[in-house]
Each structure stands twice: as C-alpha cells, then as structure tokens.
Amino acid sequence: MIRTIKELRCWSRRQHNAQKRIGLVPTMGALHEGHLSLVQAANQCCEATLVSIFVNPAQFGVHEDFHQYPRPLENDLRLLQTAGSPEVFVPEITEMYPAGFDASVHIGGVTQPFEGVFRPTHFDGVTTVVLKLFLASEADLAFFGQKDFQQVCVIRKMVMDLNIPVEIVVCPTVREPDGLAMSSRNRYLTETQRSQTVVLSQSLTLAEKMIIDEKIRDVETIRQKIRSKIETAPDIKIDYIAIAHPKTLYELTTIDSEVVILIAAKIGTTRLIDNILISVVDN
Ligand code: PAF
C-alpha cells in the first residue's frame, strides 16, 4: 500500500520503465461491485492497475456527509485482493492538501447544471483531486463509472482543455438485482427507504420504453412520466429530472439522436443519482 505522493511517483516510474501501462481507478473507498468492475476493466486494458482510496473533503459541501462517509479500509483491501490485488494508494488528507494548499481546478460549462445547482462546490473538489491523482500517478488510462455521468463529462472536459495525457474509460453502471445503481451511499438506507428506491431505475427504463418503443419525442411528456413514477414512493423527493445532450449536457426540448436522462433524488438524508443513455435511430 502506498501512502505518499513521493512513493507513488517511484512506483509509477518503475511501471513505465518496465513498459507497463498504468490504469488508475480513483475511488473514495467503501468499495462495491461497481468499483470492482472498474478494477477488472483496468486489469484487462493495462499491465499495472492502481486504485486510489481517498475520501476527498474538497468535494463535500459544508452540510454534506464527509464525516459520516464510510471508511471500511480493511474490507476494501480484502475486496481488492479478490480483484487481482492492484497497487493501492491511500493518502492522508495532509498528503493531498498540505497546510497552505491554495489551488483549485475549475471547469466551466458542464459543471454548471444539474449537480452543479445542488452541489455548487462539488465539481471543483472533484477536478482538483482527480488532476492531482493524474499527475502523481502518471496514469495512462483512468476508469470511471457511468453512474456518475456528469462527473465523467466534467473530467473529460478537463482532460481535453488541459491536454492531460490520459485516456478516460467509462464502464457501465453496476446495479443491484432490483435495478438500484450501486453506490457507497446505499448503505445509509433503512429497509423501508431501500424498498422505495427501486422506482428510480424503473422510471428510467419506463422512459427508455417511451422513447424506443412508443417513439415519444417530447421531453416534457417523458419528464412527467418519470416524475409520476418516482412520486409513487412516498419518501422520495426529486432534486431534478434532466433530459439532455450527452456531450454538452444542454437540456433538450425534443429528442432526435442521443440523449441522457439524469435523475437525482433524496430519501431521508441520503441523496441518490442515476442516469440512462439512449440512442435514437429514426428512419
Ligand atoms: O467518483 C468518486 O468516487 C469521486 O468523485 C472520485 C472520482 C474518486 C474523486 O474523489
């Protein structure tokens, strides 16, 4: 296990000297099958896999769950042994943000809507830490889950705008048997809350059916259907239902080619997000 950026640089140099490509899987720990699928993808594409585990304070708002966020490090390390025993980087907060740290990476445009409205400082925290991880690890490829769709758009934009020499690989969302997207925050849910969350993924498959099978193209009709489905769960409060272009994240009024539907909702104090990417081929 690597604890410092200095050690990480030595490790990365050794991998590159041995002609090995480095695949980075950045995580905040509390690993689940979704993370492990990213590790497996990295193992397949790269000769050296690195998993970072760091609960990044910079991406939590003041009233968010930074202090409650689960940190089951022993269990995470055990799970990683079942996924090919990648190298693991677990820095202390002071290693990533030493006293006097005063930098922030801000990406415009795609950071502004949706999550940006509800979590205005979140993406600056994500891009700052992810850029630091890219620089320290000299990763050739980096693996992210589609579950955090807007985060992927933001990271891709950062990579493009700052000419960062890393390839971003996006892996499909891994779901529980009833459809709930896997998330470290799912462990906050009580049994009653957990049973209600099924409407989130169901609302997205319903929207997909409307678009693909019923050929409905009007965004408001689709949004209304998603809303009605989610509102059948008495304790879920919707933050947003966005129907947008997958690259620009501009909201659409009608659907004509590719579309992403993003939803965010709260149940109790737990905030959940999900999305679906749909390709429309009209003759
Ligand atoms: O997706 C996450 O878990 C985090 O946002 C990331 C990319 C590890 C940065 O802290």
Side-chain angles (χ1 to χ4, degrees), residues 26-28 56 59 126 129-130 144 148 151:
T27 81
M28 298 205 300
N56 173 33
Q59 69 188 74
V126 170
V129 84
V130 169
F144 295 90
D148 297 302
Q151 169 171 280

Side-chain angles (χ1 to χ4, degrees), residues 154-222:
V154 170
I155 290 168
R156 277 193 196 289
K157 189 74 170 64
M158 173 178 78
V159 164
M160 193 174 75
D161 286 0
L162 301 182
N163 307 106
I164 305 169
V166 64
E167 185 183 325
I168 303 301
V169 182
V170 183
C171 300
T173 303
V174 178
R175 296 179 180 281
E176 300 288 353
D178 70 352
L180 177 66
M182 287 199 186
S183 161
S184 305
R185 290 188 167 100
N186 291 353
R187 61 187 79 189
Y188 297 151
L189 299 169
T190 65
E191 224 172 279
T192 328
Q193 290 173 337
R194 174 65 187 81
S195 65
Q196 293 184 38
T197 58
V198 66
V199 297
L200 297 174
S201 61
Q202 282 178 348
S203 76
L204 293 175
T205 16
L206 205 61
E208 182 180 39
K209 267 211 187 91
M210 289 174 81
I211 296 169
I212 302 290
D213 299 345
E214 298 166 37
K215 302 205 181 304
I216 294 169
R217 297 288 174 262
D218 176 56
V219 158
E220 282 318 315
T221 311
I222 297 161

Side-chain angles (χ1 to χ4, degrees), residues 2 4-17 22 136-138:
I2 298 174
T4 67
I5 290 174
K6 194 171 170 198
E7 282 172 84
L8 178 57
R9 284 194 198 291
C10 290
W11 177 84
S12 300
R13 206 143 300 155
R14 279 202 305 279
Q15 308 313 309
H16 281 155
N17 286 344
I22 298 171
S137 68
E138 295 180 32

Side-chain angles (χ1 to χ4, degrees), residues 10-232:
C10 290
W11 177 84
S12 300
R13 206 143 300 155
R14 279 202 305 279
Q15 308 313 309
H16 281 155
N17 286 344
Q19 310 298 325
K20 293 183 180 177
R21 274 168 312 171
I22 298 171
L24 170 68
V25 181
T27 81
M28 298 205 300
L31 303 180
H32 49 67
E33 287 296 321
H35 295 113
L36 298 183
S37 76
L38 302 179
V39 176
Q40 272 146 17
N43 290 344
Q44 272 165 19
C45 300
C46 301
E47 294 73 34
T49 300
L50 173 71
V51 175
S52 62
I53 298 180
F54 179 63
V55 184
N56 173 33
Q59 69 188 74
F60 289 79
V62 271
H63 300 299
E64 291 183 3
D65 55 342
F66 173 68
H67 294 289
Q68 294 96 287
Y69 201 85
R71 291 163 172 84
L73 183 60
E74 290 301 311
N75 193 53
D76 286 349
L77 296 175
R78 253 196 310 277
L79 282 175
L80 290 174
Q81 280 173 5
T82 68
S85 298
E87 189 53 77
V88 190
F89 176 49
V90 189
E92 294 290 344
I93 293 185
T94 49
E95 182 66 17
M96 296 303 276
Y97 302 117
F101 182 91
D102 207 7
S104 176
V105 179
H106 176 73
I107 302 297
V110 289
T111 53
Q112 300 307 297
F114 321 144
E115 288 301 290
V117 173
F118 288 86
R119 307 182 73 190
T121 57
H122 172 67
F123 286 124
D124 286 1
V126 170
T127 45
T128 302
V129 84
V130 169
L131 180 60
K132 281 180 72 91
L133 291 168
F134 285 170
L135 291 172
S137 68
E138 295 180 32
D140 299 283
L141 288 85
F143 296 77
F144 295 90
Q146 190 196 309
K147 148 104 188 333
D148 297 302
F149 191 92
Q150 190 174 2
Q151 169 171 280
V152 171
C153 291
V154 170
I155 290 168
R156 277 193 196 289
K157 189 74 170 64
M158 173 178 78
V159 164
M160 193 174 75
D161 286 0
L162 301 182
N163 307 106
I164 305 169
V166 64
E167 185 183 325
I168 303 301
V169 182
V170 183
C171 300
T173 303
V174 178
R175 296 179 180 281
E176 300 288 353
D178 70 352
L180 177 66
M182 287 199 186
S183 161
S184 305
R185 290 188 167 100
N186 291 353
R187 61 187 79 189
Y188 297 151
L189 299 169
T190 65
E191 224 172 279
T192 328
Q193 290 173 337
R194 174 65 187 81
S195 65
Q196 293 184 38
T197 58
V198 66
V199 297
L200 297 174
S201 61
Q202 282 178 348
S203 76
L204 293 175
T205 16
L206 205 61
E208 182 180 39
K209 267 211 187 91
M210 289 174 81
I211 296 169
I212 302 290
D213 299 345
E214 298 166 37
K215 302 205 181 304
I216 294 169
R217 297 288 174 262
D218 176 56
V219 158
E220 282 318 315
T221 311
I222 297 161
R223 197 192 320 270
Q224 199 39 54
K225 191 75 170 194
I226 295 173
R227 182 177 297 282
S228 311
K229 179 71 193 177
I230 297 177
E231 283 174 353
T232 60

